[in-house]
Amino acid sequence: MNTKSFVGKLNQITKALFSMTPAQREKVHQSIQALDAEISTDELIQPLFDVSSQCPHCHSRHLKKWGKSGAIQRYRCKDCQKTFNNKTNTPLAKLHKSHLWEEYARCMVLKLTLREAADICGINLKTAFLWRHRFLMAQAGKNQDKLSGIIEVDEFFLARSEKGSKTLAHQKKPRKRGGNLDKRTKEGQVAVLLSIDRSNHMINAILPADSKAEIAVHLTENITENSVLCSDGSWSYVEIAKQKNCDHKRLINNQVRVIDKVYHIQTVNGAIAHFKGWVNGKMKGVATKYLSNYLAWFKESHAKLDKQQILVAAYG
């Protein structure tokens, strides 16, 4: 087909698309997606390894191919003589049934429970639990986003949980669904920092202590200078705003909720309510030792990562 003929047909298709209803265009979109060849997990991961291929044991770049294990390429390091594949020493190492990982990642996009994901993928419940935390391990505790423009920030508290532990380290008697916890004090609670800008970039962090110093450690480096910082009445953010040369809008509880019809912390408070409702509702509470993983999952969901992007993030 010559160029003139191709352009003519392309123009006809474009006009036809413009004349369709949104539902009809969505049907065409789904048909095109169905024609696209599915990319296997190994084909997705291999380019990530090729970008900075090195020995996972000694970090040498002097490698050579060393046969295959099934369809997976193995390598041997010329320096330390050890063999490996593209997943060695990554969170995905030694996990089996890689042909099911993409389907499991789709379950994570939908934020399904372990039992729901296990049933859909046809795997054991323990396997579903292992995959969930392996897929989240690489991103847990990482805050690579830079916040700019109008930035909202707030802290919230969750009851310390040792869910699943056979012995309790922090409390003498088990609590049932948070009972007997005095919410007026911080004892027995874990502080979490959450911040979002109006471009939907998010950072979150578990604070060892709810103090100005800890907040500064996790927030200062992620704020762009000359932004607008919106916070509650806490004095912890005043010094941070000065340090980053930010205009600081303090929203005092029950006194000021919105400033100039633009500045508020309703977006971040909505995200906090969503997170707490999710982990305490659908997930029936999460153990504190896994909380950073669930915060990473929440951030991936907020960024609307698809199943392949989740696998790329899991690879680390």
Side-chain angles (χ1 to χ4, degrees):
M1 183 184 297
N2 59 43
T3 304
K4 186 176 181 180
S5 177
F6 175 78
V7 171
K9 288 195 173 184
L10 187 61
N11 288 336
Q12 290 178 0
I13 294 171
T14 303
K15 289 180 181 178
L17 287 172
F18 281 132
S19 66
M20 290 180 180
T21 65
Q24 290 172 331
R25 284 196 291 269
E26 178 60 25
K27 187 67 176 178
V28 172
H29 178 65
Q30 292 175 359
S31 299
I32 293 172
Q33 283 186 320
L35 292 174
D36 291 339
E38 286 290 330
I39 301 175
S40 69
T41 302
D42 291 322
E43 290 174 327
L44 188 67
I45 290 175
Q46 187 62 44
L48 302 177
F49 175 80
D50 292 339
V51 167
S52 58
S53 54
Q54 62 180 1
C55 173
H57 305 290
C58 69
H59 306 294
S60 169
R61 294 188 177 274
H62 301 107
L63 316 175
K64 62 180 177 180
K65 293 183 177 180
W66 198 253
K68 289 188 176 182
S69 176
I72 301 175
Q73 179 67 55
R74 292 193 63 80
Y75 303 87
R76 186 178 185 183
C77 176
K78 294 181 180 179
D79 291 337
C80 70
Q81 306 301 315
K82 292 183 178 180
T83 63
F84 53 91
N85 61 30
N86 57 12
K87 293 186 284 292
T88 301
N89 282 4
T90 73
L92 302 180
K94 298 183 180 181
L95 295 184
H96 302 291
K97 301 181 179 180
S98 61
H99 62 285
L100 294 175
W101 290 356
E102 192 166 322
E103 182 65 17
Y104 189 84
R106 188 179 71 86
C107 294
M108 293 188 66
V109 171
L110 299 174
K111 296 166 78 171
L112 301 183
T113 64
L114 288 175
R115 294 187 186 279
E116 291 170 336
D119 184 57
I120 289 173
C121 296
I123 57 178
N124 186 275
L125 191 61
K126 290 183 178 179
T127 302
F129 179 83
L130 174 65
W131 286 8
R132 172 185 287 180
H133 292 289
R134 285 288 195 91
F135 282 17
L136 297 170
M137 185 185 301
Q139 300 303 318
K142 286 188 177 179
N143 282 313
Q144 298 172 333
D145 282 355
K146 290 293 183 181
L147 307 180
S148 61
I150 300 176
I151 303 168
E152 301 178 32
V153 62
D154 203 359
E155 317 108 79
F156 64 98
F157 297 87
L158 293 171
R160 186 177 298 279
S161 171
E162 297 182 57
K163 179 181 178 180
S165 298
K166 294 183 179 180
T167 57
L168 303 180
H170 293 90
Q171 53 201 50
K172 296 180 180 179
K173 295 182 180 181
R175 287 182 287 100
K176 184 177 181 180
R177 299 186 184 275
N180 301 323
L181 183 68
D182 188 354
K183 296 183 179 180
R184 295 170 298 179
T185 68
K186 298 175 183 177
E187 185 178 356
Q189 299 188 78
V190 180
V192 181
L193 178 74
L194 185 66
S195 186
I196 303 174
D197 66 16
R198 298 293 169 85
S199 298
N200 273 336
H201 298 114
M202 174 188 289
I203 64 167
N204 53 48
I206 299 173
L207 305 177
D210 181 31
S211 64
K212 180 172 65 176
E214 287 294 339
I215 292 173
V217 166
H218 293 94
L219 186 62
T220 304
E221 294 301 319
N222 295 92
I223 292 181
T224 304
E225 291 190 1
N226 302 313
S227 299
V228 179
L229 183 64
C230 302
S231 71
D232 61 11
S234 172
W235 288 98
S236 301
Y237 301 105
V238 175
E239 187 173 328
I240 296 173
K242 288 182 179 178
Q243 184 178 344
K244 302 297 290 188
N245 195 29
C246 291
D247 186 9
H248 188 197
K249 307 294 184 181
R250 297 180 70 219
L251 289 303
I252 311 298
N253 286 340
N254 300 322
Q255 296 181 28
V256 180
R257 299 189 64 183
V258 182
I259 297 176
D260 297 334
K261 299 182 180 181
V262 175
Y263 307 110
H264 55 76
I265 55 173
Q266 295 173 10
T267 305
V268 71
N269 285 338
I272 290 171
H274 182 192
F275 178 78
K276 293 172 75 172
W278 172 54
V279 296
N280 292 329
K282 188 168 186 177
M283 296 299 162
K284 308 299 182 185
V286 300
T288 299
K289 64 180 178 181
Y290 295 124
L291 181 57
S292 60
N293 288 357
Y294 285 90
L295 287 168
W297 188 0
F298 183 69
K299 186 160 61 174
E300 290 180 352
S301 176
H302 183 79
K304 293 181 170 55
L305 299 191
D306 61 28
K307 56 187 179 181
Q308 291 189 348
Q309 289 172 322
I310 285 179
L311 287 176
V312 170
Y315 186 70

